[in-house]
Amino acid sequence: MTLKFFYEKFKKKHQLQLIAGEKGIHSVVKWIYLLEDLKNIHFIRGGELIITTGLANNYDNWLEELVHAMDGKDVSGIILNMGNYIKEIPESLIDYCNLMGFPLLTMPWEIHIADIMQDCCNHVMKEQQEEEYLSKTFANAMFCNTVDSAFITEYEDMNQYPNFAYGIIALKNVSNNRLIAILNQAEQKYLLLTKKSTHYAVLYHTTETAFHSTVDFLHKSLLSDGIYYGIATLGQSIESLFAKRIEADKALQVASAKKETYCFYNDLGLYQIVLSISDEAILENLYTQSLKAIIDYDQKHHSNYLEILRYYIEFNSSVQLVAEHTFTHRNTINYRIAKIKELLHSDLSSMEERCRIQLAFCIYDLKCQTAEIPF
C-alpha cells in the first residue's frame, strides 16, 4: 500500500492533511507505528508510517530532532496529532520536508489514534494476503503454464482479476526497490516476480492505454546504462501469462543483444524468426555459411569487414551511405565490399542472399550477447 493510496482513502474519515513532502507520497507503507520517545527510534525497520502526539517531548526543537532522526530509516511519512501537545509546525520543518520529499501529515486531536492505526493495519494485511494469492497464481501461470482454478475459487473476493488484461515487462540489471518506486508512481496495479536474474513486472487489471502509459513512464525513469527490458503484448486472461512471459523474455534478449534499453515484442522483426527456431543446428549452419568467413578474416587481419557488411546490407547496398557512416573514402569501401563478396562467394545482389545475411546477423547478435542464451 502506498502512502498516497492511504491518504486519499482516509483523508476525509480521519481529517488528514498533507502539509509537506508531496514528492514522497508514493512511498510504501508496510506498517503504522506510534512513536513518542526519540529513544525508541532504533525500533524502526523501514516502511513505517509514524504517528506522534508529542506527549513525551517538552523541549524546544524536539519535533525537528524527531524528523531529522528518521533520515536513512526508510520511513514512509509522519502524521502529527495536532492539538494538545503539538500546537504548530515550524516553517523550517515544512521547508525541510519539502526539500527531502518526506511526507508530513496532520490530523486533529479529536481523531482516535486507535481508529486510524486499525484502518492502516487492516489494509496492509489485506494487501499482503492479495499479494500472496497473486504471487502463487501468476507464478504458476507464467512459469509452469498451470492455472489452479481451485485456488482461485477459494479466494472468491479476488476473482475480479482473472478476466482483465495483463501486461508483462521482463527486466535485467535493475533493483527491486527501484522498480517498486517507479511503478508506485505510475499508479498501476502490479506484482513483481523474480526468476534467476530477471525481474517480471506483471501489470494486471489494466487497459491498453494504462499499460502503455506505464511503459512510457518506465522509458523516462530507466535511463541508466546496462538496464534492459522487454515488453510483451497484452494478454486477456491468466491462461495467457505463460505465452506473454515468453514474449517478454524474447524482447528482453533482443534489447540486451542490440544494447538498446528496451524492445517491444511486436518490434522484433527478423529476431522473432530466429528466436522461434528451436533447432540449434539450423541456426549454427546459417551463421557459419553467412558470416564465419568474414569474422575469421577480421580476427586474422584486425579489419572491420563485418561492420562494413552490416552497414552495406542495412543501407540497401549504398556504398555512399556506408562511406559516410564509417567516415571512410568511397573507393576504400568499394575495395572492401569486393573483398567481402570474394570471401562469401556471392555478389550480394539477390534478395534471398541479403535476407539470409540479415538473419545471420540476428543470430550473431544473440550469440554475442551471453553464453547462456539458447539457439
Side-chain angles (χ1 to χ4, degrees), residues 273-287:
I273 297 173
V274 171
L275 289 169
S276 68
I277 299 173
S278 57
D279 190 333
E280 293 185 21
I282 293 175
L283 297 172
E284 192 64 38
N285 185 56
L286 179 58
Y287 163 75

Side-chain angles (χ1 to χ4, degrees), residues 106-126:
T106 63
M107 71 178 195
W109 181 261
E110 294 73 25
I111 298 298
H112 292 175
I113 290 178
D115 291 341
I116 191 172
M117 293 183 74
Q118 183 175 19
D119 282 337
C120 183
C121 293
N122 285 344
H123 276 269
V124 167
M125 292 172 66
K126 181 181 178 181

Side-chain angles (χ1 to χ4, degrees), residues 54-120:
L55 174 65
N57 301 282
N58 55 9
Y59 59 92
D60 292 342
N61 301 321
W62 72 266
L63 189 53
E64 294 96 319
E65 186 177 341
L66 177 69
V67 172
H68 282 276
M70 294 177 190
D71 285 350
K73 297 289 186 180
D74 195 27
V75 171
S76 61
I78 185 169
I79 301 175
L80 305 181
N81 192 203
M82 304 294 294
N84 231 27
Y85 301 102
I86 306 176
K87 306 293 185 181
E88 59 183 20
I89 306 171
E91 283 296 328
S92 60
L93 182 60
I94 293 174
D95 293 340
Y96 175 79
C97 289
N98 281 327
L99 177 65
M100 301 302 292
F102 181 71
L104 176 66
L105 301 94
T106 63
M107 71 178 195
W109 181 261
E110 294 73 25
I111 298 298
H112 292 175
I113 290 178
D115 291 341
I116 191 172
M117 293 183 74
Q118 183 175 19
D119 282 337
C120 183

Side-chain angles (χ1 to χ4, degrees), residues 134-296:
L134 293 175
S135 293
K136 179 177 179 180
T137 304
F138 288 179
N140 284 341
M142 287 172 57
F143 305 121
C144 305
N145 200 17
T146 59
V147 177
D148 191 341
S149 299
F151 184 73
I152 293 174
T153 302
E154 181 182 346
Y155 289 83
E156 292 183 357
D157 60 327
M158 298 179 189
N159 278 348
Q160 57 178 312
Y161 299 122
N163 299 315
F164 284 96
Y166 297 82
I168 298 179
I169 305 170
L171 305 100
K172 287 270 193 185
N173 304 331
V174 60
S175 71
N176 243 29
N177 288 341
R178 186 175 181 191
L179 268 182
I180 290 170
I182 292 170
L183 292 172
N184 283 346
Q185 292 181 65
E187 299 184 17
Q188 164 74 57
K189 284 184 174 294
Y190 73 92
L191 182 76
L192 284 182
L193 297 172
T194 302
K195 192 171 182 66
K196 294 184 178 178
S197 59
T198 302
H199 297 301
Y200 296 92
V202 187
L203 280 62
Y204 61 96
H205 200 175
T206 191
T207 63
E208 189 86 29
T209 301
F211 180 68
H212 284 286
S213 176
T214 301
V215 169
D216 288 342
F217 190 73
L218 274 177
H219 294 345
K220 297 173 184 176
S221 305
L222 294 177
L223 299 177
S224 302
D225 292 340
I227 293 178
Y228 304 110
Y229 54 101
I231 306 149
T233 58
L234 283 186
Q236 297 302 320
S237 67
I238 283 183
E239 287 78 9
S240 72
L241 289 182
F242 184 77
K244 298 305 169 183
R245 190 266 303 168
I246 292 175
E247 286 184 7
D249 281 339
K250 290 180 177 180
L252 173 60
Q253 285 181 239
V254 173
S256 183
K258 296 173 70 176
K259 305 302 181 191
E260 296 177 353
T261 303
Y262 65 90
C263 179
F264 287 90
Y265 178 76
N266 277 345
D267 296 337
L268 293 188
L270 292 177
Y271 288 98
Q272 191 171 142
I273 297 173
V274 171
L275 289 169
S276 68
I277 299 173
S278 57
D279 190 333
E280 293 185 21
I282 293 175
L283 297 172
E284 192 64 38
N285 185 56
L286 179 58
Y287 163 75
T288 300
Q289 284 186 344
S290 305
L291 297 180
K292 192 171 188 305
I294 305 299
I295 292 171
D296 289 346

